[in-house]
Structure formats: structure tokens, C-alpha cells
Amino acid sequence: MAAPPEQRCWEREQARLKAGVVEQDTEEWQKDPNFTGLERVGGVDLSYIKGDDTSACASLVVLSYPALQVLYEDCRMVAVTAPYVAGFLAFREVPFLVEAVQRLQQEEPELRPQVLLVDGNGLLHHRGFGVACHLGVLTDLPCVGVAKNLLQVDGLARDELHREQIRSLQRSGDTFPLTGTSGRVLGMVLRSYNNSSKPLYISVGHRVSLDTAVRLVRSCCRYRVPEPIRQADIRSREYIRKQLCAPLEVRPARPESKKEAELEDESDA
């Protein structure tokens, strides 16, 4: 069955932007074992009201590094018009995140993040261009994809071998590579927190190497989810509650995320 015209347009745009992805470290701080020179790490999130797929809160936070204290937050209610289509999440969410980065640049440029952690995938994607790549290319900021579930592409599967490899991750910092049937390493599985056996799936977004991405994410984890993403999520949910003056349930953008949230450790909230 042929893809709808809108989807074909999105595929062309992804292919065009993908040509701009840089998969190597480009910053001096990335080349230092202790990330000397890294002072600000950003995190982004969109949260939706349960039962409403058109009203969301887009959140950008900037944390100090290595202390991981919140220096800046921007939460805005936005009207989401693009439909959710698997593999094209960026067209639904990234425009609002780009606007948040642009507002920060205009209002408090001294707090511009030196890297963004994104709740989603980068090169680990059906066409090698996930939301972290998309946001990175459009903002020209180093970006890292941090996903909670395995995206099953290029032969990767949540099979018994994969579960066995996860069980082999005994302590915080343990990893194994995600190698597709193409032979390419698409990302890394990281046990980010001793008290959680559920790993994270790290992939390159833009202007960062996979090794650096993994080391950075691990250094930002107080719990399972790295603090920049965790704070962006917490603050977007709280913003919705305050805006609506009611304790309404809110949820992340992805359909599978509600199930993920039910399985999360309490410390991940």
C-alpha cells in the first residue's frame, strides 16, 4: 500500500535533513574524560492531557553541570495539529521544542544549553533519523536520544537473547551495543541506575559520538531517567495541573508511554 502524500513528504524532509547529521564529537568538552567545560545540559519534553491529543505542554529545562540544578525552565501550552504516525514523531513535536530553544536564545542566551537530552531515539530509527537527530539538526545543538523501550528496527528485537543481555547488566554503567543485521551499531543499552534493572537505549542525535553520549547520560542520572529529561517531564506535568486548576492525569506523547509509566520505578517519576 502506498504511503499517504503527507507521509511521503515527511520522508523526503527526513532524508533532506538527515544529510546534515554529524555523528562525531564536535566540542572540546566532549573530548575530556571529565567533561571539563560542560556547564549547561538541556532536557525537553511534551506532556498531554489524558484524552486530549491536541493540547500539550512543551517543556525545556536547562540544568547546571555537574551539579544538575535547574537554571532555566520554559513551559508553554501548545496546540498539536500533526497526527501521530510511527516513525514521524518529530513532525508532531519538534516545532514546539525548536521554538522553546529560540525563545531561550533571545531571552537568556547565556543559559543556552551546550547539549540536549531528548526523550526518544536518534540514529536508532526506521530511517536513521529520529526525533533527537531532527531537533539537533534544526537547532544545531549536540543532541542525544534517550529511549526507555527498544525500537525494533534493522533486526533488533525484544527476544530472549535481548532479555538475557539485559540481565547481564549487573550495575550502573554496564552497557552492551545494539548491532543491527546490517552490522551497524545503532545505539547502546545502558543500565543507568543500580536500583532499576530496566535499561535505557542511547543513540546519537547530532554532533556527539555514541561513546560520549553514553558517558554523558550516565553522569546525568540520579535515578533511571537522566535528570534533564526527568525535570522537563515533571515540570511539564505540573504546569498542566496548574493551568487547568485540577489534578488531571497527563501523559507523555507516545502511545506506549502510558504502559511504560505504569512499569516505572517510583524513583523514576
Side-chain angles (χ1 to χ4, degrees), residues 26 31 35 40 46 82 85 113 116 131 182 188 191 203 209 246:
T26 61
K31 302 167 187 176
F35 295 135
R40 298 173 306 282
L46 254 76
V85 180
L116 284 173
V131 63
S182 64
M188 195 75 73
R191 180 163 180 167
S203 56
S209 68

Side-chain angles (χ1 to χ4, degrees), residues 54-183:
T54 61
S55 297
C57 177
S59 173
L60 164 67
V61 299
V62 181
L63 275 60
S64 63
Y65 188 89
L68 301 178
Q69 299 299 311
V70 176
L71 302 174
Y72 173 92
E73 70 172 284
D74 178 348
C75 294
R76 302 283 179 100
M77 296 303 297
V78 297
V80 180
T81 57
Y84 173 79
V85 180
F88 298 96
L89 178 67
F91 293 95
R92 181 173 169 84
E93 299 190 351
V94 162
F96 305 114
L97 303 178
V98 170
E99 288 174 3
V101 172
Q102 291 172 341
R103 280 195 298 272
L104 170 57
Q105 179 64 34
Q106 293 168 1
E107 296 168 7
E108 298 191 61
E110 72 281 2
L111 294 180
R112 179 179 171 88
Q114 294 163 275
V115 60
L116 284 173
L117 301 188
V118 182
D119 181 8
N121 293 295
L123 297 180
L124 179 58
H125 181 265
H126 303 283
R127 287 167 299 282
F129 193 74
V131 63
C133 296
H134 205 127
L135 183 60
V137 170
L138 291 183
T139 62
D140 199 31
L141 285 171
C143 278
V144 176
V146 183
K148 301 184 191 75
N149 276 338
L150 174 66
L151 185 63
Q152 300 184 63
V153 298
D154 195 14
L156 298 175
R158 288 193 293 264
D159 54 14
E160 182 54 36
L161 173 60
H162 185 71
R163 289 189 287 271
E164 182 179 330
Q165 289 176 307
I166 289 174
R167 288 192 291 271
S168 75
L169 304 176
Q170 294 296 305
R171 60 184 65 83
S172 173
D174 286 355
T175 63
F176 66 85
L178 288 166
T179 305
T181 54
S182 64

Side-chain angles (χ1 to χ4, degrees), residues 255-267:
E256 69 274 13
S257 294
K258 183 177 180 182
K259 182 177 180 181
E260 288 178 4
E262 293 170 352
L263 297 174
E264 286 283 5
D265 298 334
E266 289 184 5
S267 57

